[in-house]
Amino acid sequence: MKSIRIALGALFVMVWMLALAFSFQGSAVAAPVMLDAGAVMPLAFGGILVNAGTINTIFTGLKTIFNNALKASPGNWQATAMEILSNGKSEDYAWLSRFPMMRKWVGEKSVKSLEAGKYTAINEDWETTIAVKRNDIEDDSLGIYNAQAQMAGDSASELNDIIVDSLKNGAFTSLGIDGQYFYDTDHSVKGASVSNKLTTVLSAATPAAAAAGYGAARTAIMKFTDEEGMPLRLMPDTLEVPPALEAIAKKLLEADKLDDNSPNPYKGTAKLIVNPALTSDTAWFLHVTSKAVKPFIVQMRKRPTFVSQTTMENDDVFMKAEYKFGAEARATGVYGFWQLSVGSTGAG
């Protein structure tokens, strides 16, 4: 009987240990961070044991979430902008000083010299950073960081859009390649002042109102010439407006008739972009996007990249009990040929 009691006692201990082990394993499975398959999370009573292996596994999962979000959101900047890769601290845009056009070759070729150093764009630093509390790791409360890693990836994917939208919002007060505001009334062409800036409202009320705004912008672009007086042969194809002007823009580009029931001569003459990042409710833009060069340029030195600070001996870990992750990039925005766009303040 004594031997039976000993055997039963041993069996009870084994069952208790197995139950305890399964309860710990369940805690690990409940961790919300997306981890690599087969990864084993060290456990402490009631949570996760923080060590170098644990931190590496967690941040590998966050990096995966970030990169997936980055790839899933290509952005809308390509419609009106182009990307140029940068190989250094800055880039010289002397090549933008002349709009290249073919001319009849009579005698020697006409060599168009470029003014080096006239318009140099310096790359800027961009970042987004998130702190991960060590207590959240120990307490197995990491779900919030999954969402933050995804939002950081979404934000990084919008970098080109952010840069291009900033160019557009500042285009009436920021200088372009010719030393004038990008949208200005006195660009110099063959000694004369040429305007790509309007103040007229965007209107679909009557034929006269539509012609004074949208029609005037179309005409201006189609009449632009180069320094030799040759037509640039540009056809505007994209109207960009803030949300406040969406209904008017749709009426101009899609309706058979204007507000006064007269025939609409501008139906189908351009694509429509409604941009919620435009800061003015009255300003609107008409672009040429069919050329190799677009009106706006993203100068990209380093694409958004996931970075993390996970060293256990780091000062922030010791003093603040937190790790960090986020994204870094180097880029800037540049105005292209002003002839490819007409902007109106809409001030009237």
Side-chain angles (χ1 to χ4, degrees), residues 296-338:
F296 308 98
I297 298 171
V298 176
Q299 177 178 297
M300 183 59 65
R301 179 67 179 90
K302 182 176 76 173
R303 299 190 185 281
T305 304
F306 183 90
V307 293
S308 59
Q309 183 186 79
T310 60
T311 305
M312 302 287 285
E313 295 78 17
N314 187 272
D315 287 345
D316 283 345
V317 176
F318 184 79
M319 299 296 293
K320 302 178 182 178
E322 64 183 25
Y323 304 87
K324 293 184 177 67
F325 74 92
E328 294 179 356
R330 291 178 64 196
T332 193
V334 179
Y335 292 108
F337 291 117
W338 58 264

Side-chain angles (χ1 to χ4, degrees), residues 229-251:
M230 293 184 61
L232 294 180
R233 306 173 66 85
L234 299 174
M235 285 295 296
D237 54 39
T238 302
L239 175 63
E240 184 170 9
V241 301
L245 296 179
E246 179 179 8
I248 296 173
K250 283 188 174 182
K251 176 69 70 80

Side-chain angles (χ1 to χ4, degrees), residues 34-343:
M34 296 175 62
L35 304 178
D36 294 337
V40 178
M41 186 69 72
L43 300 177
F45 283 99
I48 298 174
L49 178 64
V50 179
N51 59 28
T54 303
I55 297 300
N56 181 66
T57 301
I58 290 171
F59 278 84
T60 298
L62 292 174
K63 181 177 181 180
T64 300
I65 295 172
F66 171 88
N67 285 333
N68 287 341
L70 182 64
K71 295 175 184 177
S73 305
N76 300 313
W77 60 273
Q78 299 98 324
T80 58
M82 61 184 292
E83 185 181 81
I84 291 180
L85 299 182
S86 173
N87 296 316
K89 177 181 178 181
S90 63
E91 297 296 328
D92 188 349
Y93 286 88
W95 59 274
L96 283 174
S97 62
R98 287 190 177 264
F99 204 112
M101 291 291 293
M102 293 294 290
R103 63 182 291 276
K104 186 180 291 186
W105 184 357
V106 179
E108 294 185 359
K109 289 184 177 180
S110 175
V111 180
K112 300 174 176 62
S113 60
L114 303 179
E115 300 180 52
K118 183 177 180 180
Y119 191 36
T120 300
I122 300 175
N123 290 306
E124 299 170 313
D125 293 317
W126 298 80
E127 63 86 24
T128 180
T129 304
I130 299 167
V132 180
K133 298 294 184 180
R134 185 172 60 194
N135 288 350
D136 289 336
I137 298 175
E138 292 177 347
D139 296 340
D140 199 3
S141 302
L142 292 164
I144 57 174
Y145 298 110
N146 285 346
Q148 288 188 312
Q150 183 163 1
M151 288 189 292
D154 289 338
S155 178
S157 72
E158 295 172 351
L159 176 59
N160 285 21
D161 284 299
I162 292 170
I163 290 173
V164 173
D165 290 337
S166 178
L167 288 172
K168 292 171 181 175
N169 286 324
F172 294 103
T173 56
S174 299
L175 300 181
I177 183 65
D178 61 351
Q180 302 295 125
Y181 297 144
F182 181 72
Y183 292 126
D184 211 341
T185 58
D186 56 351
H187 296 286
S188 179
V189 178
K190 203 177 181 181
S193 291
V194 178
S195 174
N196 72 334
K197 175 186 174 182
L198 301 175
T199 59
T200 49
V201 299
L202 188 69
S203 175
T206 65
Y214 179 74
R218 280 178 52 82
T219 300
I221 288 177
M222 290 187 285
K223 291 180 67 175
F224 288 153
T225 67
D226 67 6
E227 289 289 341
E228 283 73 41
M230 293 184 61
L232 294 180
R233 306 173 66 85
L234 299 174
M235 285 295 296
D237 54 39
T238 302
L239 175 63
E240 184 170 9
V241 301
L245 296 179
E246 179 179 8
I248 296 173
K250 283 188 174 182
K251 176 69 70 80
L252 280 169
L253 300 181
E254 299 174 6
D256 292 323
K257 296 186 179 294
L258 299 176
D259 290 342
D260 66 350
N261 208 35
S262 61
N264 179 11
Y266 301 114
K267 179 183 177 181
T269 55
K271 302 184 296 289
L272 175 62
I273 295 177
V274 181
N275 188 347
L278 297 179
T279 54
S280 170
D281 284 341
T282 61
W284 53 275
F285 314 103
L286 185 61
H287 310 297
V288 177
T289 66
S290 59
K291 298 294 183 181
V293 178
K294 299 289 197 297
F296 308 98
I297 298 171
V298 176
Q299 177 178 297
M300 183 59 65
R301 179 67 179 90
K302 182 176 76 173
R303 299 190 185 281
T305 304
F306 183 90
V307 293
S308 59
Q309 183 186 79
T310 60
T311 305
M312 302 287 285
E313 295 78 17
N314 187 272
D315 287 345
D316 283 345
V317 176
F318 184 79
M319 299 296 293
K320 302 178 182 178
E322 64 183 25
Y323 304 87
K324 293 184 177 67
F325 74 92
E328 294 179 356
R330 291 178 64 196
T332 193
V334 179
Y335 292 108
F337 291 117
W338 58 264
Q339 296 94 330
L340 296 177
S341 187
V342 166

